[in-house]
Amino acid sequence: MTSNNEPSTPLTDAPEFQTSQSKLLQHDSALIVAQSVSLTLGSDSLLIVDERSMRKSDRRCCGLLGKSKETGVTHAIALYNVLDAELTPAGLTITYAKHSGSNDVSVTALQYPIDEGEKSTVEAWVASLLNLAYGNALRYKRLKVLVNPFGGKGAASHLYQTYAAPVFAAAHCQVDLQETTHSGHATEIAEKIDINAYDAIICCSGDGLPYEVFNGLGKKPNAGEALAKVAVAMVPCGSGNAMAWNLLGTESISIAALSIVKAVQAPLDLMSITQGNTRTLSFLSQSFGIVAESDLGTDNIRWMGAHRFTYGFLVRLFQRTVYPCDLAVKVVMDDKEMIKDHYATYANSDPRGRNPEGTAGQSTGLPELQYGTVLDELPKDWEVIPAETIGNFYAGNMAIMSKDTSFFPASLPNDGLMDIVTIDGTISRLTSIKMMTEIPEGRFFGMPDVGIRKALAYRLVPREKEGYISVDGETIPFEAFQVEIHKGLGTVLSKSGHLYETEGPK
């Protein structure tokens, strides 16, 4: 069987996959086991045809679905769902994730007896199956799993053990599990972690633990190398679960675990935030105004899950709509058609994967700030944005902020630009509500009252003494702050390895 360090065949969308797949289909794509069971590798699935008697006593495998009087049992397993295959003294075992509902998978195994003389043929076939099943994804990933026991309404540990752990075990991932005990604990763990011991840090939580992990890696003396070498991913156990939605396309714990097993390492832009003399990293978003109020001001109703954001928005919409500040932005583009063209060009380009072996000694620390800090004089080439009557300021580095909320549809993982949305607080309440309803439909981007810019940096200074500023869903002091983006500084596990799991701007 192939080593987990050996290059694998790319996924089906890549030309290399199609060439390799064509050769495979011409040579030894089918395997006959148990005398009358054929296992055939297709372009995207493993097809199993069992011609044996359907009497229960004659069956040598489990989990087959469907029955045909003439052709026996036919069962197709998506190659993406294949977790492992191995030849042992007991025979050939194929383990896969079987859909057990519309939003869940469970581990299932098929087993067939193998004659001694067939072993070399079966081993070669197994190697081909795993190459196709994993593509560019690293097999047998070494995972540092962090569980926030207070996540998932206090059930995160149980949810992980029930739905995610079996998938990781079946895929032979090496798992080092640790529960966090206090706020900032994940930062402490990541700061001290041996970056050569793990391929990824998995956060069983909401977006709070990934925020801590990125900042912990950023505190290491070799922060640049650490952030490039160790990927970060999420098993969704929180309220928003934005990281899981963007990179894995789901909030299902078991499906997220499967996606992590099959995901590839990909670079992610990170943002530096300065306040006073402090510098922190952000991977997701920063908000000021009604969105920040709706997020941080609803901690007391976390039991509502993602619905608390909608409730908080509506309550505040009828109480207050204007949040004055001073705002300056290093704008790169502010024309929506130009932004669409930028997205399309990136989407049609070749993915730029992350090679973990090429990151050693990449940097001794975080990159230098190109625009200084919030304490420095404002750069003269920045655009001053009128914000006396701003209602919502939202800067994002990912598209989806929570389920069905693609607030930044033009956001890209590795283009070196952040997306900034500004909305005037004097627009009618009816228009504000319509904006919220248009987000799930994908029409928010094109609304005339929605200002959208792609930028390299910005500075925001609140004019009032009290309020909320949200960074990746976490609160920071209510005072002036400055943000700039660093292209490809971080690393994540991504289902596509290229784009977020949502449609682009319409």
Side-chain angles (χ1 to χ4, degrees), residues 40 278 475:
T40 305
T278 66
T475 186

Side-chain angles (χ1 to χ4, degrees), residues 265-294:
Q265 284 202 355
L268 177 74
D269 298 341
L270 295 179
M271 296 168 282
S272 280
I273 299 173
T274 62
Q275 268 194 321
N277 293 313
T278 66
R279 178 183 181 181
T280 55
L281 295 176
S282 168
F283 75 95
L284 178 61
S285 65
Q286 308 92 45
S287 62
F288 168 85
I290 195 167
V291 168
E293 296 263 346
S294 303

Side-chain angles (χ1 to χ4, degrees), residues 63-266:
L64 299 182
L65 300 177
K67 179 178 179 180
S68 169
K69 293 180 179 178
E70 295 183 357
T71 60
V73 177
T74 299
H75 184 56
I77 302 172
L79 291 173
Y80 182 85
N81 286 46
V82 173
L83 297 170
D84 193 43
E86 58 181 343
L87 186 59
T88 67
L92 170 63
T93 301
I94 301 172
T95 309
Y96 68 102
K98 175 183 175 182
H99 285 275
S100 53
S102 60
N103 202 32
D104 196 18
V105 294
S106 58
V107 174
T108 306
L110 305 173
Q111 191 173 84
Y112 305 96
I114 300 297
D115 293 335
E116 186 67 30
E118 300 175 327
K119 287 187 175 181
S120 60
T121 300
V122 174
E123 286 175 349
W125 184 88
V126 165
S128 296
L129 169 62
L130 292 177
N131 278 338
L132 291 173
Y134 275 84
N136 278 335
L138 182 68
R139 301 177 208 164
Y140 319 126
K141 293 181 176 74
R142 302 168 301 164
L143 306 177
K144 177 68 175 182
V145 176
L146 303 180
V147 178
N148 174 9
F150 303 103
K153 300 177 183 178
S157 297
H158 172 74
L159 293 172
Y160 169 78
Q161 293 294 346
T162 302
Y163 297 103
V167 177
F168 291 154
H172 295 292
C173 294
Q174 300 175 41
V175 174
D176 178 10
L177 177 66
Q178 184 173 357
E179 287 193 356
T180 58
T181 60
H182 54 273
S183 177
H185 192 193
T187 297
E188 298 166 9
I189 294 170
E191 183 178 3
K192 297 174 183 177
I193 201 168
D194 179 359
I195 64 172
N196 296 311
Y198 303 98
D199 301 306
I201 300 175
I202 311 301
C203 302
C204 301
S205 64
D207 296 303
L209 281 196
Y211 169 76
E212 290 189 14
V213 167
F214 279 122
N215 276 284
L217 294 174
K219 289 177 178 292
K220 297 179 78 68
N222 58 337
E225 179 185 2
L227 287 163
K229 190 167 189 176
V230 182
V232 181
M234 174 196 283
V235 170
C237 293
S239 299
N241 303 318
M243 173 176 266
W245 279 116
N246 281 283
L247 298 172
L248 308 178
T250 185
E251 66 176 354
S252 163
I253 293 172
S254 59
I255 294 176
L258 170 62
S259 298
I260 287 169
V261 167
K262 293 304 181 75
V264 295
Q265 284 202 355

Side-chain angles (χ1 to χ4, degrees), residues 373-413:
T373 75
V374 71
L375 299 177
D376 295 318
E377 183 179 351
L378 185 71
K380 294 181 179 179
D381 61 344
W382 288 24
E383 180 181 343
V384 176
I385 311 295
E388 294 84 359
T389 60
I390 198 165
N392 185 35
F393 171 89
Y394 212 171
N397 186 46
M398 287 187 171
I400 307 168
M401 294 297 109
S402 61
K403 183 179 181 180
D404 298 326
T405 309
S406 184
F407 214 103
F408 303 99
S411 183
L412 293 162

Side-chain angles (χ1 to χ4, degrees), residues 307-329:
H307 296 297
R308 71 183 175 93
F309 301 109
T310 303
Y311 173 81
F313 175 83
L314 293 174
V315 169
R316 282 153 182 81
L317 183 63
F318 287 96
Q319 292 178 344
R320 180 187 178 193
T321 58
V322 174
Y323 301 83
C325 67
D326 295 313
L327 178 64
V329 182

